[in-house]
Amino acid sequence: DAMVIQNPRYQVTQFGKPVTLSCSQTLNHNVMYWYQQKSSQAPKLLFHYYDKDFNNEADTPDNFQSRRPNTSFCFLDIRSPGLGDAAMYLCATSRERQVGAPQHFGDGTRLSIL
Amino acid sequence: QKEVEQDPGPLSVPEGAIVSLNCTYSNSAFQYFMWYRQYSRKGPELLMYTYSSGNKEDGRFTAQVDKSSKYISLFIRDSQPSDSATYLCAMIDSTGGGNKLTFGTGTQLKVEL
């Protein structure tokens, strides 16, 4: 089945230690998104890639960066994780970037900070 | 004030009940409306997608949009224990030029035997 796959499902890191989360997709979609979902809160968009074009949300902290080496893969890098970065990180894709294009989510990576 | 307001619940109903889930919003530029279902430890799954005001039905699910009142609803008929999940409403601002989803915080639903 075509899908959005996130690895690992659970990640534990130490305060200040860089961490990378991975997302891959077999849908061949042009757009990939990263959302942050804290406990009992709404998912919040961090940034998205349209093909290789990177688009950052204005309020996304500089501590968060992303890479998309090819159509299938996208990475979320957190340079110096703080306790407030503990959350579920969700990757999503859509076929195109036009307004209203349905987004399909992976099962997320739950990040814990020690 | 949040752009999208959603009662977090939890909402507990007996099997077979009709469930009504609701969201209100403040941004009149929201034109696309979605309902996602999120099981515990899983990602959101697109359940319903609507563009205009009115009703859209898919099996046991009906999505309703009232743009004049800035109010959307999801109705679940003949609810089943397998419907137990968190339901997130989501919307897209058509004027922003992008495809950014603005979510509600989700309503936790439990359907009991």
Side-chain angles (χ1 to χ4, degrees):
Chain A
D1 286 342
M3 52 180 28
V4 181
I5 301 165
Q6 292 189 244
N7 284 304
R9 293 295 314 278
Y10 301 92
Q11 176 75 56
V12 181
T13 191
Q14 292 178 332
F15 183 95
K17 185 173 182 181
V19 66
T20 294
L21 309 181
S22 168
C23 177
S24 64
Q25 54 124 346
T26 59
L27 298 160
N28 204 31
H29 282 176
N30 287 318
V31 192
M32 297 186 76
Y33 308 79
W34 281 103
Y35 287 83
Q36 178 192 62
Q37 185 179 24
K38 295 187 177 180
S39 182
S40 301
Q41 295 186 23
K44 180 175 175 296
L45 182 65
L46 295 173
F47 27 58
H48 76 273
Y49 270 97
Y50 175 64
D51 195 13
K52 294 182 180 178
D53 180 25
F54 177 71
N55 297 270
N56 202 28
E57 290 299 300
D59 55 356
T60 298
D62 293 340
N63 200 25
F64 291 83
Q65 299 189 338
S66 186
R67 296 170 283 135
R68 189 178 185 187
N70 55 54
T71 300
S72 300
F73 284 88
C74 195
F75 300 99
L76 170 62
D77 300 309
I78 309 177
R79 287 191 297 186
S80 181
L83 296 177
D85 297 328
M88 173 81 91
Y89 289 89
L90 295 164
C91 174
T93 71
S94 65
R95 183 177 301 280
E96 290 299 335
R97 184 169 57 177
Q98 76 262 24
V99 176
Q103 295 184 27
H104 304 272
F105 285 81
D107 284 337
T109 294
R110 184 168 294 282
L111 177 66
S112 298
I113 314 295
L114 298 179
Chain B
Q1 184 190 5
K2 293 179 186 175
E3 280 191 290
V4 180
E5 298 278 359
Q6 186 175 8
D7 187 336
L11 179 63
S12 184
V13 301
E15 184 179 9
I18 296 174
V19 176
S20 173
L21 304 168
N22 311 294
C23 287
T24 59
Y25 62 94
S26 56
N27 184 353
S28 58
F30 285 140
Q31 295 292 325
Y32 297 84
F33 304 92
M34 282 135 277
W35 286 95
Y36 282 85
R37 178 174 62 194
Q38 187 172 23
Y39 290 114
S40 180
R41 297 184 179 85
K42 292 284 193 177
E45 171 195 7
L46 183 61
L47 204 57
M48 297 290 282
Y49 176 103
T50 53
Y51 171 67
S52 58
S53 284
N55 293 354
K56 181 177 181 179
E57 190 173 319
D58 184 1
R60 295 185 295 111
F61 299 91
T62 299
Q64 192 173 78
V65 175
D66 182 349
K67 288 184 181 177
S68 62
S69 300
K70 297 191 181 69
Y71 188 88
I72 69 169
S73 300
L74 177 70
F75 298 96
I76 307 174
R77 288 183 300 280
D78 188 25
S79 56
Q80 303 295 312
S82 58
D83 295 327
S84 299
T86 296
Y87 290 80
L88 295 149
C89 64
M91 308 176 188
I92 299 177
D93 179 343
S94 62
T95 64
N99 198 33
K100 173 183 174 181
L101 287 171
T102 300
F103 284 92
T105 52
T107 298
Q108 188 179 350
L109 171 67
K110 185 173 183 181
V111 181
E112 302 193 73
L113 289 168

